[in-house]
Amino acid sequence: MPKKIRELIRALKDAGFTDRGGKGSHRNFTHPQGGKITLSGNPSHDAKRYQERDVEKVLREVNKK
């Protein structure tokens, strides 16, 4: 079962990412240690596999630093 976009957003915010806003359904997140990611989609929609993978990757990168 795929995660929802809102779950990915919550994971990013819990890790210290800041939502910088965006256009339309896009949201830009940045982290003080340099991580950046853009998520698109309505919070109630299912996340695509590549979105889940990208969030996992940026969370791993930030946790290494």
Side-chain angles (χ1 to χ4, degrees):
M1 182 108 193
K3 293 181 180 180
K4 298 287 184 183
I5 297 290
R6 77 172 70 86
E7 294 176 50
L8 299 180
I9 292 170
R10 187 177 313 120
L12 289 169
K13 287 186 176 182
D14 289 346
F17 281 81
T18 304
D19 186 352
R20 295 185 52 237
K23 275 190 155 181
S25 66
H26 289 73
R27 288 166 210 80
N28 298 301
F29 292 91
T30 58
H31 194 275
Q33 294 180 355
K36 294 182 184 179
I37 188 167
T38 300
L39 281 180
S40 64
N42 187 308
S44 64
H45 289 170
D46 290 339
K48 306 282 190 221
R49 180 62 195 134
Y50 75 89
Q51 291 173 313
E52 291 182 33
R53 186 176 55 238
D54 289 347
V55 168
E56 291 168 5
K57 180 181 175 185
V58 74
L59 289 175
R60 275 195 312 269
E61 289 174 3
V62 169
N63 287 333
K64 284 183 183 178
K65 294 180 182 180

